[in-house]
């Protein structure tokens, strides 16, 4: 497992591609994007080999797990193909240009082609990198944004309210479905216009967690509070917590054939034992033995049913029981993962307590994100949830992806030792 | 039979005073407890006992009967064949689970076929309780829109009566026998004259004709008597010997037939019939892998089949489904003891999903 922070691939594709193109434009400054780290390339090639083996396996009979894996790997395999093609073209063109045999006209043509092909290669490298970054398991989910004032008294509470309005405006502009699940002012009431004590905003749209999770952390404000009579600038903060909103598993017992369902069990992973008559069987004995025992090999869950005199009935019952036991285990595991995830999200926020993630400075009309190092100057547009806020969020997502790539590379090199 | 350990008997008595009696036929505590539970359920659901005293007395009586080795199936009057409850009576062999497993697997293969004809004719020789045609039609009609004609044949009057009663029960339960034609007929599958033989009983081929039955059948199934006299004494359990009809188990002797050949006696005849009725699929139950190999040898010699394979007890066994080749000859499918021989030819290959 990678320890890298996760990032939403759909957001990435939205935000990274234009970036790749701009890289091509400013090739002189960021030409490194054209290449792809050897470790990542090796990883992609290994996946392509596995993909091929799985495809062959699938040809010999349906296997839901293999089919699912193939689906996951396909984008990587496609991206690798595109990259290899572009890389080959660049190689061919370069050797053509350096070949003394090449006549001047052809060389010129090749040189022209080369810059376009380089741009394609840069694009392909970026896509390949993106496809390799594991998608955060919850990226596709809706999310909850929890906002609370931090240090700084009522000014912090006022700023917390500003942030809530900022996110609401942003969602509004982007057409994202929101619902204010909780709103409490410092008097414990719900009236607006009084400094905020806690708000929970649900963004009910798919992929919202992938989009907003980079907002988690301590947001710092530097301004002259309205309550300040002497005109001094104060520094206060509000904390933002972003959690995936996980509804109760919607796939239930009816979906036993859906590999996504908790109740799905691959028959190949179950050992069936019918307690047969000892010895010869057939006409030689007239046993009443009808017990059935099933073992789910991956989890080692065993169920044994002997209620009925009918073996098929016992088998059916045993399968039902096995399914619900396995589903129970999966739910528990998921809840554990979620709890661990929540702890780590809170951990990020805590890390931000000393280490704020973003500063909003009224005096300079600027917003700086301390992770991506991006500074923008249209503070009002940020607070209105406009394009400028989107730009800042995008910069953090890219920063997160770079961390993911680093983690992937670290993992790749450690798995080699 | 080895004596039961005293500790086991003592443990059983602590659970229920009637349990030690059931340990005798069951041999282990778990099965004994299951049987006691089934007997209690039976009394509560069916028997005419009106109050607790009567019920207790009846339970005690049934447990005592069972402890003599009388099959539970005869006491309760039914046995499950697949998930089908089949009526059982003394004098007719109790259907075995292994037989049901083979039939279920055969139907399973047919069900997957997309090229079954609109009508299929199935002949079951030595039908006993009629369990095979009844399960076959139930399992196939559930899933395929197909018309079936099924005929069960047995030499025993008791068997034919019971088979008809099972069919009637099925119809009264409103089970969909839909457009299917099911019938049972008394006839002798073997065609020689035997000692002490009742000449009232017609031979199969003439019975088919005189009763205006079809002379061609697509699928021939049989679970014939297949136990040789010496095996009968060595390998059958006491309960089988004392309570089930020998007619159903041991083929009749014939002049000059050795023990082993007597056990195999039905198969050459059945293969002959298979050819005469132009069967495209043939499924015979056998005693073990050795007999399976002898029968595959006969089937190959018959020279009419394009494919032959051997099935084990659990031919569709999920995790262990595998084919192994016996001495490079025929695939052996599934897990457990060698249990049946499957042969096919012509369209039969397509119906079974065998690639020709
Ligand atoms: C092993 S039992 C099988 C019964 C049933 N098919 C089943 O699987 O439970 C064999 C049956 O063959 C019948 N049988 C014995 N000799 C026969 C013969 N010569 N012709 C026709 N049936 C015969 C017996 O009466 C008995 O019912």
């Amino acid at each position: 497992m990678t320890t890298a922070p996760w990032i939403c691939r759909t957001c990435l594709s939205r935000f990274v591609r234009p970036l790749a193109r701009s890289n091509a434009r400013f090739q002189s400054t960021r030409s490194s994007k054209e290449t792809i780290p050897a470790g990542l390339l090796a990883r992609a090639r290994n996946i392509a080999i596995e993909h091929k083996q799985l495809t062959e396996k699938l040809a010999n009979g349906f296997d839901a797990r293999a089919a699912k894996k193939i689906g996951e790997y396909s984008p990587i395999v496609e991206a690798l193909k595109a990259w290899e093609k572009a890389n080959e073209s660049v190689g061919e063109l370069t050797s053509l240009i350096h070949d003394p045999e090449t006549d001047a006209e052809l060389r010129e043509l090749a040189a022209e082609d080369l810059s376009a092909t380089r741009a394609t290669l840069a694009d392909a490298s970026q896509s390949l990198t993106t496809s390799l970054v594991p998608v955060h398991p919850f990226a596709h989910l809706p999310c909850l944004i929890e906002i609370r004032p931090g240090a700084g008294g009522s000014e912090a509470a006022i700023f917390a309210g500003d942030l809530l309005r900022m996110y609401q405006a942003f969602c509004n502009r982007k057409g994202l479905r929101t619902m204010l699940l909780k709103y409490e002012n410092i008097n414990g009431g719900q009236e607006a216009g009084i400094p905020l004590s806690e708000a929970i905003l649900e963004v009910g749209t798919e992929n919202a967690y992938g989009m907003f999770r980079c907002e988690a952390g301590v947001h710092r404000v530097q301004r002259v509070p309205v309550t300040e009579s002497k005109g001094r600038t104060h520094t206060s903060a509000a904390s933002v917590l972003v959690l995936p909103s996980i509804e109760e598993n919607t796939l239930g017992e009816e979906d036993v054939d859906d590999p996504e369902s908790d109740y799905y069990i691959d028959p190949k992973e179950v050992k069936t034992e019918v307690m047969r008559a000892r010895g010869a069987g057939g006409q030689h004995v007239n046993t009443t033995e009808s017990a059935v025992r099933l073992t789910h090999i991956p989890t080692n869950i065993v169920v044994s049913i002997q209620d009925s005199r009918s073996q098929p009935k016992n088998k059916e019952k045993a399968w039902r029981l096995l399914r619900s036991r396995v589903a129970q285990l999966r739910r528990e595991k998921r809840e554990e993962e979620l709890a661990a995830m929540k702890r780590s999200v809170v951990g990020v926020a805590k890390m931000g307590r000393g280490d704020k993630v973003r500063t909003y400075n009224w005096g300079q009309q600027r917003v700086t994100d301390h992770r991506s190092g991006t500074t923008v100057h249209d503070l009002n547009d940020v607070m209105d949830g406009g394009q400028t806020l989107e730009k800042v969020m995008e910069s953090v997502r890219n920063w997160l992806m770079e961390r993911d790539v680093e983690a992937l590379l670290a993992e790749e090199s450690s798995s080699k030792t | 039979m080895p004596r039961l350990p005293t500790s086991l008997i003592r443990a059983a008595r602590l659970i229920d005073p009637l349990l030690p009696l059931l340990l005798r036929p069951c041999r282990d505590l778990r099965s004994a407890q299951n049987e006691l539970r089934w007997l209690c359920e039976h009394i509560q659901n069916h028997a005419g006992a009106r109050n607790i005293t009567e019920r207790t007395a009846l339970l005690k009586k049934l447990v005592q009967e069972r402890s003599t080795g009388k099959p539970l199936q005869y006491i309760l009057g039914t046995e499950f064949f697949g998930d089908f409850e089949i009526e059982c009576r003394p004098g007719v062999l109790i259907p075995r689970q292994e037989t049901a497993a083979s039939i279920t697997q055969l139907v399973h293969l047919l069900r997957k076929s997309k090229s079954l004809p609109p009508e299929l004719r199935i002949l079951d020789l030595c039908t006993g309780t009629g369990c095979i045609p009844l399960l076959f039609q139930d399992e196939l009609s559930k899933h395929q829109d197909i018309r079936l004609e099924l005929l069960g044949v047995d030499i025993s009057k008791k068997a034919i009566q019971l088979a008809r009663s099972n069919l009637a029960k099925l119809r009264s339960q409103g089970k969909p026998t839909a457009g299917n034609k099911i019938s049972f007929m008394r006839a002798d599958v073997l065609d020689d004259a035997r000692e002490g033989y009742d000449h009232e009983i017609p031979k199969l081929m003439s019975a088919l004709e005189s009763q205006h039955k079809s002379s061609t059948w697509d699928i021939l199934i049989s679970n014939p008597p297949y136990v040789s006299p010496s095996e009968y004494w060595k390998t059958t359990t006491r309960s089988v010997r004392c309570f089930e009809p020998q007619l159903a188990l041991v083929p009749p002797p014939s002049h000059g037939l050795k023990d082993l050949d007597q056990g195999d006696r039905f198969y050459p005849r059945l293969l002959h019939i298979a050819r005469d009725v132009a069967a495209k699929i043939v499924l015979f139950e056998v005693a073990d892998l050795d007999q399976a190999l002898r029968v595959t040898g006969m089937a190959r010699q018959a020279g009419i089949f394009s494919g032959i394979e051997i099935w084990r007890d659990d031919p569709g066994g999920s995790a262990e489904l595998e084919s192994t080749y016996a001495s490079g000859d025929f695939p052996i499918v599934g897990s457990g003891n060698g249990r049946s021989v499957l042969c096919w030819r012509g369209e039969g290959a397509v119906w079974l999903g065998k690639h020709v």
Side-chain angles (χ1 to χ4, degrees):
Chain A
M1 264 315 267
T2 170
T3 48
W6 299 84
I7 196 152
C8 162
R9 193 181 286 155
T10 43
C11 309
L12 274 173
S13 57
R14 191 176 309 147
F15 295 110
V16 169
R17 295 255 163 71
L19 183 87
R21 238 174 275 128
S22 70
N23 282 343
R25 236 180 285 136
F26 305 112
Q27 242 181 57
S28 51
T29 51
R30 297 186 71 178
S31 61
S32 67
K33 288 283 172 191
E34 196 185 288
T35 59
I36 185 162
L40 283 191
L41 199 56
R43 192 190 183 90
R45 291 197 165 126
N46 285 338
I47 286 173
I49 292 170
E50 204 183 320
H51 181 267
K52 194 163 160 252
Q53 288 164 346
L54 286 169
T55 313
E56 277 160 15
K57 189 173 164 195
L58 206 60
N60 297 328
F62 186 74
D63 178 330
R65 252 163 239 261
K68 196 171 163 230
K69 264 247 158 91
I70 288 175
E72 278 168 18
Y73 287 165
S74 296
I76 301 175
V77 175
E78 289 306 311
L80 178 64
K81 262 189 217 150
W83 183 88
E84 275 172 341
K85 203 171 145 229
N87 191 44
E88 206 184 323
S89 307
V90 168
E92 277 169 12
L93 289 171
T94 315
S95 63
L96 206 61
I97 290 167
H98 292 303
D99 189 343
E101 305 280 284
T102 309
D103 61 56
E105 201 180 338
L106 186 58
R107 183 167 298 150
E108 200 174 308
L109 275 176
E112 233 167 68
D113 260 13
L114 184 61
S115 65
T117 312
R118 279 229 165 98
T120 313
L121 182 59
D123 253 350
S125 301
Q126 197 67 46
S127 305
L128 183 54
T129 308
T130 309
S131 73
L132 280 168
V133 173
V135 181
H136 189 287
F138 300 121
H140 62 285
L141 293 173
C143 73
L144 302 177
I145 304 176
E146 304 188 8
I147 304 169
R148 290 180 193 84
S154 70
E155 160 64 356
I158 294 170
F159 179 60
D162 291 343
L163 285 181
L164 172 64
R165 277 184 295 280
M166 174 180 89
Y167 289 128
Q168 283 175 316
F170 178 84
C171 291
N172 226 341
R173 191 175 63 78
K174 303 275 296 173
L176 306 175
R177 210 160 8 93
T178 62
M179 196 161 84
L180 199 54
L181 294 189
K182 182 172 183 185
Y183 183 94
E184 207 177 285
N185 61 36
I186 47 173
N187 300 335
Q190 273 160 20
E191 318 83 332
I194 301 172
L196 177 70
S197 128
E198 185 183 7
I200 302 178
L201 181 71
E202 184 185 46
V203 186
T205 317
E206 271 183 29
N207 295 328
Y209 184 68
M211 184 182 292
F212 283 100
R213 69 191 187 93
C214 57
E215 291 304 287
V218 171
H219 294 237
R220 186 171 69 166
V221 60
Q222 291 174 324
R223 66 181 171 191
V224 181
V226 281
T227 49
E228 163 68 52
S229 48
K230 298 191 189 83
R232 283 178 307 198
T233 295
H234 285 213
T235 297
S236 348
S239 80
V240 174
L241 197 62
V242 182
L243 295 172
S245 158
I246 298 187
E247 278 167 41
E248 247 317 284
N249 186 32
T250 44
L251 288 169
E253 265 178 286
E254 323 77 61
D255 304 291
V256 293
D257 295 327
D258 185 338
E260 294 293 322
S261 164
D262 281 346
Y263 289 86
Y264 174 79
I265 291 180
D266 187 343
K268 286 196 218 71
E269 295 181 342
V270 176
K271 187 167 97 186
T272 307
E273 287 163 283
V274 287
M275 324 292 175
R276 286 202 185 275
R278 294 151 288 249
Q283 290 170 13
H284 304 89
V285 282
N286 55 17
T287 174
T288 58
E289 192 60 88
S290 59
V292 172
R293 185 162 67 194
L294 302 179
T295 308
H296 186 238
I297 299 156
T299 57
N300 218 12
I301 294 177
V302 179
V303 299
S304 156
I305 296 285
Q306 49 197 335
D307 295 3
S308 167
R309 290 165 58 215
S310 153
Q311 203 171 75
K313 279 206 180 91
N314 285 336
K315 202 176 204 170
E316 198 186 299
K317 233 191 214 168
W319 267 95
R320 240 184 298 140
L321 189 64
L322 184 67
R323 284 210 171 90
S324 63
R325 294 243 173 103
V326 169
Q328 166 82 9
L329 191 80
R330 286 178 181 156
R331 265 198 302 274
E332 278 170 13
K333 213 175 132 210
R334 207 178 36 233
E335 271 153 27
E336 239 167 61
E337 266 170 22
L338 183 61
M341 232 269 316
K342 278 192 180 169
R343 279 196 297 277
S344 75
V345 171
V346 174
V348 170
K350 235 198 282 164
M351 174 198 83
R353 190 155 290 163
D355 241 9
K356 66 274 163 196
V357 298
R358 195 178 289 160
T359 297
Y360 303 73
N361 186 308
W362 255 252
Q364 298 167 14
Q365 287 288 296
R366 89 178 147 83
V367 174
T368 299
D369 194 282
H370 305 292
R371 294 161 298 183
S372 64
T374 303
T375 293
V376 295
H377 289 282
D378 197 347
L379 175 74
N380 288 338
D381 190 49
V382 172
M383 297 315 289
D384 288 343
Q387 284 273 294
T388 321
L389 174 61
E390 192 163 351
K391 197 168 138 193
V392 176
M393 286 168 69
E394 181 187 313
S395 76
V396 185
R397 277 189 294 262
N398 285 331
W399 172 83
L400 264 179
M401 193 189 66
E402 276 162 25
R403 300 288 80 71
D404 274 355
V405 172
E406 275 170 18
L408 267 183
L409 284 170
E411 195 193 332
E412 199 64 35
S413 61
S414 72
S415 71
K416 253 183 232 128
T417 54
Chain B
M1 201 179 289
R3 258 183 58 106
L4 289 163
T6 328
S7 59
L8 182 62
I9 298 173
R10 211 177 293 130
R13 183 170 296 122
L14 280 176
I15 300 170
D16 192 300
L18 289 175
L19 264 189
L21 281 171
L22 290 175
L23 268 182
R24 238 187 272 167
C26 291
R27 311 304 297 168
D28 72 76
L29 203 54
R30 196 176 48 84
S31 328
Q33 281 176 295
N34 281 338
E35 291 204 358
L36 185 60
R37 195 179 66 243
W38 293 328
L39 282 166
C40 289
E41 284 168 6
H42 171 74
I43 287 171
Q44 253 147 26
N45 297 338
H46 305 283
R50 283 181 308 261
N51 54 44
I52 297 206
T53 350
E54 272 185 42
R55 277 196 214 126
T56 322
L58 183 59
L59 179 65
K60 206 165 161 188
K61 182 177 152 259
L62 297 187
V63 167
Q64 260 154 4
E65 258 180 64
R66 175 66 180 129
S67 74
T68 65
K70 180 169 178 181
L72 185 77
Q73 295 92 333
Y74 287 151
I75 296 172
L76 301 180
T78 63
E79 169 64 318
F80 280 87
F81 192 68
D83 48 17
F84 230 71
E85 200 170 357
I86 293 274
E87 201 184 328
C88 290
R89 286 178 205 156
V92 183
L93 188 103
I94 299 160
R96 307 293 200 247
Q97 285 169 11
E98 292 92 335
T99 312
S102 305
I103 298 304
T104 304
Q105 176 66 5
L106 175 63
V107 173
H108 177 76
L109 293 179
L110 295 174
R111 237 154 50 186
K112 287 198 295 191
S113 170
K114 291 187 184 65
S115 49
L116 285 191
E119 234 188 279
L120 263 186
R121 279 204 288 269
I122 295 100
L123 181 60
D124 177 39
L125 299 179
C126 306
T127 195
T129 55
C131 53
I132 292 175
L134 295 179
L135 180 68
F136 186 101
Q137 74 94 28
D138 182 63
E139 297 242 313
L140 193 59
S141 309
K142 261 196 296 208
H143 301 269
Q144 279 258 6
D145 190 17
I146 189 167
R147 280 201 43 205
L148 301 175
E149 183 178 342
L150 305 111
L151 174 62
V153 176
D154 203 287
I155 197 171
S156 143
K157 198 170 174 178
K158 273 189 185 161
I160 290 300
Q161 278 168 351
L162 181 56
R164 289 191 178 133
S165 148
N166 268 316
L167 174 61
K169 196 170 119 203
L170 191 80
R171 292 212 166 112
S172 73
Q173 283 170 355
K175 290 256 187 183
T177 48
N180 298 339
K181 237 165 84 186
I182 312 172
S183 55
F184 295 99
M185 173 178 97
R186 193 168 175 214
D188 185 1
V189 167
L190 298 174
D191 63 351
D192 58 344
R194 293 191 294 280
E195 205 182 314
Y197 183 73
D198 179 353
H199 291 278
E200 300 280 283
I201 305 168
K203 299 290 175 193
L204 174 69
M205 284 306 173
S206 54
L208 284 178
E209 205 180 298
S210 67
Q211 307 219 6
H212 310 292
K213 303 282 183 197
S214 173
S215 57
T216 60
W217 296 85
D218 299 307
I219 301 178
L220 174 65
I221 305 176
S222 183
N223 176 17
Y226 55 57
V227 184
S228 77
S230 69
E231 264 181 77
Y232 181 70
W233 294 109
K234 280 194 312 227
T235 55
T236 61
T237 58
R238 208 178 62 88
S239 165
V240 170
R241 281 194 306 278
C242 299
F243 294 92
E244 294 194 272
Q246 194 175 340
L247 172 72
L249 300 161
V250 187
S254 171
H255 217 68
L257 268 194
K258 285 206 255 351
D259 183 70
L260 199 70
D261 296 326
Q262 187 181 334
D264 292 351
R265 185 165 173 199
F266 274 80
Y267 299 107
R269 177 68 198 135
L270 289 169
L271 286 165
H272 217 87
I273 296 168
R275 194 194 54 204
D276 289 349
V277 302
K280 299 176 182 83
I281 295 174
V282 165
L283 181 69
F284 296 154
E285 182 165 321
V286 293
D288 51 29
L289 199 55
D290 288 339
Q291 193 170 43
L293 290 170
R294 291 196 299 275
V295 172
T296 52
M298 298 175 205
R300 182 166 52 186
Q301 228 168 18
I304 53 173
F305 298 109
S306 59
I308 299 173
E309 70 188 23
I310 295 172
W311 286 0
R312 295 185 183 274
D313 285 333
D314 195 3
S318 50
E320 289 161 283
L321 186 125
E322 56 174 45
S323 306
T324 41
Y325 283 79
S327 59
D329 278 348
F330 307 106
I332 305 181
V333 178
S335 57
N337 287 321
R339 186 53 62 215
S340 39
V341 172
L342 177 79
C343 314
W344 62 88
R345 61 170 162 168
E347 292 160 276
V350 186
W351 301 343
L352 291 170
K354 306 284 174 195
H355 305 286
V356 225

